[in-house]
């Protein structure tokens, strides 16, 4: 090959650029990305602009309709709902993202181990099947009931519950990731580049970290987005059943739980946090959908 | 086929045993004392007596086997006795009792089961009725506006949590329009036309909330499965034979596409029971989900253990049903 033919090659396109170009075509995914970014920004920077303390009770302004001072009105104790939704969003998103990271780590670890080491495959996959057969929502409720008080004493009411909820959501939602990763690793393991790496004496640990993991990053990313959505819904469901965070510590689910007794009086109280959950989950699901298309070389080629 | 079924069954039983052990262990080894909620004035020796009457003095493994025996042998025998009016053996067995109400756990569950079954069953039927047409039309007119609308429906359907749709329904249909009652009246007896209408009215919201959520998922699978089949050779053959488009679509393609969808529906049913926990809480349906929450809040360990195990058994059972159905409907799956 001469130098000229090299220069005539089309403009270099990296994998990430290809993926981004395909992702941009997916209108739903782009809309999801924009909305999700807006929600994240609002939740992070919102309390700096809207500087009302979410716990401040203004008894004279109970159940107030929306106004400039309280854009979403106030609750039955005169607390500002907008400030609570922003504060609750911080907690809900933090729980969602941390729990997803834990689930992803576990799922990737178990998937890679099961796919790469033949001896571990059988036991680990039986273990995964077992977890898939557990009734998750009842079990989560039960675990929270049993361990709430112990953790509350150890870490304080808010941090303790945060750890507990993140931990139990994380250890009960890694199974899908593990299965997908295992399947991909099984196929990758037989490819020539892995054989080449092994033939020059690369230790297994380095083969996994350098050759296998980068190649399974796309299914992991897709399950990451779905994991965030799932974790946010689970946390809200737990809080909604009254078994999540303590009272007067706002999360989106908790706000719904507190608001559901005032449906006739102030229906906005359930509308805003519910809308926040739904929009977040919807946008994350759309991002996941677009990411799946963008990372799939069969679709990207078209 | 029988061989296949038996092999599946052999796998389900150890799974159930392991799960029952896990559930029992989590609940039993957790910190917490059932006498903690008693008044402070109860002297310690009485507390110790209460603990021993609850059977807490026995070692862990003995309590596990006792629970297993009570749930797996005693209760089925009781059921047989009461339904056929016969007595097997001595007839008076130690039953699993709830700590809070002191009545047999199985009776409590049997009382609550019909409400849950009605709501879950109806929602499942409605979900299929909504999802199948959406899936068929979406696939047949792929990328048309109706397909986009179907996609949006299913995306919204499984992104909006049931506890939010439930509350929205209450705000719209009970508070503002006043069409349906927001609380499910379980004492209501259907005896004439008016009470039947009332029963329908109070069931609409809980079932629709669950149905929309389920329909969103089923319609996705339906669409994907239809798309797979529409490009197959047999469809072209059928068209070439001059069959009506309607026959091709609704007889040839739909029947084949339903095979994976039927198993998805079966696999989904335990999830709906889980979802019913939330819906029952919103609409105050006193089904097993609400019983579970009551048990959890009241720290009623035997009740919660049994209910959680029933949820697990449902998952294993419907996995089994899905496997067998798949084998029955699609001969290619019966690898034997």
């Amino acid at each position: 090959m001469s130098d000229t033919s090299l220069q005539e090659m089309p403009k270099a396109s990296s994998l990430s650029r290809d993926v981004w170009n395909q992702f941009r075509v997916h209108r739903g995914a782009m809309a999801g990305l924009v909305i999700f970014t807006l929600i994240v920004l609002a939740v992070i920077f919102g309390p700096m602009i809207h500087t009302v303390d979410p716990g401040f009770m203004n008894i004279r302004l109970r159940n107030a309709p929306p106004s400039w001072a309280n854009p979403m009105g106030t609750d039955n104790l005169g607390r500002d709902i907008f400030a609570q939704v922003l504060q609750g969003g911080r907690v809900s998103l933090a729980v969602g993202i941390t729990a997803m990271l834990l689930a992803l780590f576990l799922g990737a670890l178990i998937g890679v181990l099961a796919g790469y080491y033949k001896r571990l495959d059988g036991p680990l996959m039986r273990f995964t099947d077992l977890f898939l057969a557990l009734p998750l929502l009842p079990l989560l409720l039960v675990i929270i009931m049993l361990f709430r008080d112990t953790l509350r004493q150890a870490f304080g009411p808010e941090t303790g519950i945060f750890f507990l909820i993140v931990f139990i959501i994380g250890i009960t939602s890694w199974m899908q990731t593990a299965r997908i990763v295992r399947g991909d690793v099984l196929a990758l393991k037989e490819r020539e580049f892995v054989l080449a790496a092994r033939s020059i004496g690369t230790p297994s640990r380095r083969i996994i970290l350098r050759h296998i993991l980068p190649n399974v990053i796309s299914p992991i990313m897709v399950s990451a987005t779905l994991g965030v959505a799932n974790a946010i819904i689970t946390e809200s469901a737990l809080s909604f059943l009254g078994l999540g965070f303590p009272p007067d510590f706002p999360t989106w689910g908790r706000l719904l739980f507190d608001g559901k007794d005032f449906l006739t009086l102030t229906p906005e109280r359930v509308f805003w946090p519910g809308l926040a959950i739904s929009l977040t989950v919807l946008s994350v699901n759309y991002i996941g959908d677009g990411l799946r298309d963008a990372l799939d070389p069969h679709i990207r080629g078209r | 086929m029988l061989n296949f079924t038996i092999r599946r069954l052999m796998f389900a039983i150890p799974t159930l045993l392991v799960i029952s052990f896990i559930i029992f262990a989590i609940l039993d080894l957790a910190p917490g004392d059932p006498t903690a909620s008693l008044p402070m004035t109860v002297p310690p020796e009485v507390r110790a007596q209460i603990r021993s009457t609850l059977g807490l003095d026995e070692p862990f493994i003995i309590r596990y086997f006792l629970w297993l025996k009570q749930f797996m042998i005693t209760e089925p025998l009781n059921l047989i006795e009461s339904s056929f009016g016969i007595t097997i053996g001595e007839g008076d067995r130690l039953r699993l009792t709830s700590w809070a109400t002191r009545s047999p756990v199985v009776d409590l569950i049997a009382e609550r089961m019909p409400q849950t079954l009605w709501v879950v069953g109806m929602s499942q039927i409605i979900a299929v009725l909504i999802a199948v047409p959406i899936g068929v039309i979406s696939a047949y007119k792929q990328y048309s506006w109706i397909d986009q609308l179907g996609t949006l429906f299913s995306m919204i359907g499984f992104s909006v949590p049931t506890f939010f749709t439930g509350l929205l329904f209450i705000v719209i249909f009970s508070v503002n329009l006043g069409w349906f009652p927001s609380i499910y009246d379980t004492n209501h007896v259907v005896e004439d036309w008016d009470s039947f209408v009332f029963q329908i009215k109070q069931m609409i919201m809980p079932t629709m909330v669950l149905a929309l959520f389920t329909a969103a998922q089923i319609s996705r699978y339906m669409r994907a499965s239809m798309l797979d089949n529409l490009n197959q050779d047999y469809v072209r053959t059928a068209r070439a034979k001059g069959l009506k488009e309607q026959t091709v679509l609704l007889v040839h393609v739909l029947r084949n596409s339903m095979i994976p969808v039927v198993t998805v529906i079966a696999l989904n049913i335990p999830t709906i029971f889980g979802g019913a926990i939330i819906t029952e809480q919103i609409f105050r349906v006193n089904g097993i989900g609400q019983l579970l929450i009551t048990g959890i809040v009241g720290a009623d360990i035997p009740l919660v253990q049994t209910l959680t195990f029933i949820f697990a058994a449902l998952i294993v059972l419907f996995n089994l049903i899905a496997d067998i159905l798949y084998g029955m409907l699609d001969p290619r799956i019966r690898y034997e």
Side-chain angles (χ1 to χ4, degrees), chain B residues 79 104-115 288 291 310:
Chain B
L79 195 68
V105 167
V106 177
D107 290 358
L108 281 177
I109 296 171
E111 245 168 47
R112 304 298 192 96
M113 206 51 148
Q115 289 85 291
I288 54 170
L291 188 64
I310 288 179

Side-chain angles (χ1 to χ4, degrees), chain A residues 47-62:
Chain A
M48 296 174 194
I49 300 163
H50 184 75
T51 50
V52 179
D53 178 10
F56 176 71
M57 291 185 244
N58 186 354
I59 296 294
R60 288 188 184 172
L61 261 181
R62 280 196 317 250

Side-chain angles (χ1 to χ4, degrees), chain A residues 108-289:
Chain A
L109 182 74
I110 290 177
V112 167
L113 287 181
Y116 193 81
Y117 297 104
K118 209 165 191 169
R119 265 179 308 125
L120 293 175
D121 191 15
L124 281 179
M125 280 300 113
R126 289 295 80 73
F127 184 64
T128 313
D129 287 345
L130 190 73
F131 258 82
L132 281 169
L134 288 175
L136 293 183
L137 190 59
L139 216 55
L140 291 181
L141 295 172
V142 166
I143 295 176
I144 289 186
M145 158 187 93
L146 294 170
F147 293 93
R148 191 164 45 175
D149 295 333
T150 323
L151 276 157
R152 199 177 275 172
Q153 279 159 13
F155 299 103
E158 278 116 40
T159 331
I161 293 286
F162 183 84
F163 281 147
L164 181 63
I165 288 188
V166 164
F167 179 72
I168 57 174
I169 294 179
I171 59 161
T172 51
S173 47
W174 52 268
M175 292 83 76
Q176 301 297 345
T177 318
R179 281 189 155 185
I180 298 168
V181 168
R182 168 186 171 264
D184 279 18
V185 172
L186 276 180
L188 277 173
K189 196 171 67 166
E190 308 300 328
R191 297 269 290 273
E192 284 81 0
F193 65 91
V194 177
L195 187 68
R198 190 173 300 146
S199 69
I200 56 169
T202 319
S204 291
R205 191 169 52 86
R206 205 167 303 151
I207 293 183
I208 289 175
L209 287 180
R210 191 168 287 174
H211 300 286
I212 303 242
L213 264 188
N215 279 300
V216 292
I217 215 77
S218 50
I220 292 182
M221 274 168 72
V222 174
S223 28
T225 54
L226 301 180
V228 172
N230 175 42
I232 290 177
I233 287 207
T234 314
E235 184 274 319
S236 312
L238 293 175
S239 298
F240 181 76
L241 292 171
L243 284 156
F245 284 90
D248 61 80
F249 185 70
T251 76
W252 286 338
R254 183 85 217 177
L255 289 175
L256 274 178
F257 176 70
D258 293 337
K260 79 176 186 334
D261 299 329
F262 300 92
L263 282 180
T264 40
L265 196 60
T266 45
E268 316 90 65
R269 273 185 74 178
V270 297
F271 181 71
W272 293 113
L275 188 71
I277 299 174
S278 310
L279 267 184
T280 314
V281 174
L282 188 65
S283 60
V284 169
N285 275 338
Y286 262 113
I287 294 174
D289 210 37

Side-chain angles (χ1 to χ4, degrees), chain B residues 306-326:
Chain B
T306 311
L307 270 174
T308 318
F309 181 67
I310 288 179
F311 279 109
L314 281 174
I315 296 181
V316 175
L317 176 73
F318 279 102
N319 273 328
L320 192 70
I321 291 179
D323 273 355
I324 294 171
L325 265 181
Y326 210 11

Side-chain angles (χ1 to χ4, degrees), chain B residues 85-283:
Chain B
I86 48 167
T87 315
I88 305 164
E90 53 212 79
D92 190 27
R93 296 177 200 85
L94 185 64
R95 300 190 70 182
L96 197 62
T97 49
S98 142
W99 286 352
T101 64
R102 309 300 300 158
S103 58
V105 167
V106 177
D107 290 358
L108 281 177
I109 296 171
E111 245 168 47
R112 304 298 192 96
M113 206 51 148
Q115 289 85 291
T116 305
L117 284 181
W118 266 108
V119 171
V120 169
M122 283 304 289
S123 72
Q124 193 60 209
I125 292 168
I126 295 173
V128 173
L129 289 180
I130 299 174
V132 170
I134 290 182
V136 170
I137 297 171
S138 288
Y140 193 65
K141 306 227 184 261
Q142 200 189 358
Y143 301 131
S144 67
W145 63 270
I146 206 160
D147 181 26
Q148 306 279 0
L149 211 66
T151 311
L152 187 71
F153 163 78
S154 68
M155 269 306 208
I156 292 177
F158 63 69
S159 296
V160 181
T162 46
F163 45 85
F164 184 45
T165 29
L167 292 179
L168 269 188
F169 275 25
I170 292 183
V171 169
I172 297 171
F173 296 111
S174 297
V175 177
N176 287 343
L177 297 172
W179 288 356
F180 311 121
S182 72
I183 294 177
Y184 190 94
D185 177 10
T186 334
N187 292 324
H188 182 71
V189 186
V190 180
E191 46 202 0
D192 52 8
W193 177 251
D194 285 341
S195 60
F196 176 71
V197 170
F198 182 78
Q199 176 67 18
I200 296 284
K201 270 187 173 177
Q202 70 172 355
M203 275 189 72
I204 284 182
M205 287 205 296
T207 43
M208 281 311 282
V209 166
L210 279 176
L212 285 179
F213 184 70
T214 321
Q217 293 170 345
I218 299 177
S219 71
R220 287 281 82 186
Y221 283 107
M222 193 68 225
R223 175 176 179 271
S225 169
M226 284 289 286
L227 282 177
D228 271 354
N229 276 291
L230 274 172
N231 295 325
Q232 300 266 332
D233 290 343
Y234 75 83
V235 180
R236 195 179 340 121
T237 313
R239 284 193 181 129
K241 278 199 304 190
L243 289 181
K244 272 188 295 183
E245 192 62 21
Q246 206 183 337
T247 321
V248 175
L249 195 68
L250 295 184
V251 178
H252 293 232
V253 181
L254 183 62
R255 276 177 65 173
N256 277 307
S257 311
M258 280 308 279
I259 295 173
V261 176
V262 164
T263 63
V264 166
I265 293 172
L267 285 176
N268 229 331
I269 289 176
T271 329
I272 304 172
F273 272 94
I277 296 177
I278 293 169
T279 333
E280 285 176 2
Q281 206 62 17
I282 301 171
F283 295 103

